[in-house]
Amino acid sequence: MQLLKDTILKEGFCLPGNILKVDSFVNHQIDPKLTYAIGHEFAQRFADEKIDKVVTIESSGIAMALPAAHELEVKLVFARKNKSVLMKEEAYTCDVFSFTKKESKQVYILKKFLNKGERVLIIDDFLADGNAALGLIDIVKQAGCEIAGIGIVIEKSFQQGAQKLKDAGYRLESLARIKSLENCNITFMD
Ligand code: 5GP
């Protein structure tokens, strides 16, 4: 997706540890025009799939997934990270190792928001080693739902996540695929 790639080159920068910082348009400040274009692109790419729900993970996934859910005319559910003591309802849970925080956290989705047999599109901002996506897949499967596909805004193709998802047979659509961040030089796969 050219607009996304142009914005990454213009505003993105690298941090040690193969981290791409895009907080001026994805992770802190959000660019509505670009975000709605991203939603449109996901909706177009998955137009041939029957999709009943979009699932993402808080917090950065929410803004990236909402426009797609809107265009696909389905509800968006986001996995939450901090279980409140007030939360007594039954939930599907899974432990997810965070690439940026280097710690494992339990994430959950209330059972009432995923219905058996629904076809789910998973959307997230980044794909690195695949832990977030695989955690969401786990939760969606616990609910007896099917995975219609996985939509990623920025795939870091030099890490393991994309291959893991493809090897597991999932349809993966990544809007920008980063080949390398070596020497803080951002290069794309295509
Ligand atoms: P994974 O679980 O695939 O290893 O990593 C994906 C998750 O980690 C995403 O939800 C995203 O929040 C975060 N992440 C991974 N790599 C990066 C990165 O280079 N930059 C930013 N901002 N977040 C990242």
Side-chain angles (χ1 to χ4, degrees):
M1 185 184 169
Q2 200 54 48
L3 177 62
L4 174 61
K5 289 202 232 174
D6 291 345
T7 312
I8 291 170
L9 288 179
K10 198 166 148 226
E11 299 186 29
F13 59 94
C14 305
L15 292 179
N18 278 328
I19 302 274
L20 177 65
K21 195 112 167 118
V22 288
D23 60 355
S24 70
F25 60 100
V26 173
N27 297 119
H28 194 27
Q29 175 173 259
I30 291 166
D31 178 339
K33 200 169 175 183
L34 175 62
T35 308
Y36 279 86
I38 284 169
H40 180 66
E41 184 74 24
F42 280 136
Q44 297 274 299
R45 290 195 190 200
F46 287 101
D48 56 335
E49 298 279 353
K50 179 184 177 289
I51 290 164
D52 302 305
K53 206 155 268 177
V54 173
V55 165
T56 188
I57 184 164
E58 69 173 352
S59 56
S60 298
I62 300 171
M64 298 300 116
L66 183 63
H70 177 70
E71 193 159 329
L72 292 164
E73 298 184 21
V74 297
K75 293 272 167 58
L76 166 68
V77 185
F78 62 94
R80 303 192 65 146
K81 288 177 180 159
N82 296 307
K83 214 168 180 176
S84 150
V85 286
L86 297 174
M87 216 280 298
K88 298 277 183 239
E89 290 180 75
E90 279 200 89
Y92 300 109
T93 64
C94 176
D95 286 330
V96 172
F97 181 79
S98 164
F99 180 79
T100 46
K101 300 197 174 75
K102 304 292 178 212
E103 61 178 25
S104 234
K105 226 177 209 164
Q106 192 181 64
V107 304
Y108 73 93
I109 291 180
L110 290 187
K111 290 190 174 178
K112 66 182 178 186
F113 295 130
L114 289 175
N115 305 309
K116 192 170 181 211
E118 283 181 325
R119 287 180 55 78
V120 169
L121 171 62
I122 290 174
I123 289 183
D124 202 8
D125 58 341
F126 272 91
L127 178 62
D129 290 330
N131 294 308
L134 288 166
L136 293 177
I137 288 170
D138 185 347
I139 283 180
V140 166
K141 282 188 162 174
Q142 287 177 45
C145 298
E146 280 177 58
I147 313 289
I150 298 149
I152 296 291
V153 179
I154 303 173
E155 169 190 308
K156 293 191 292 179
S157 310
F158 55 89
Q159 291 186 243
Q160 304 304 310
Q163 202 53 51
K164 283 186 203 166
L165 297 177
K166 284 181 205 156
D167 288 348
Y170 296 113
R171 175 173 176 190
L172 172 65
E173 295 283 347
S174 301
L175 305 190
R177 296 167 67 224
I178 297 192
K179 187 176 176 183
S180 165
L181 293 174
E182 262 172 54
N183 304 320
C184 279
N185 215 354
I186 303 170
T187 53
F188 295 103
M189 289 293 277
D190 27 58

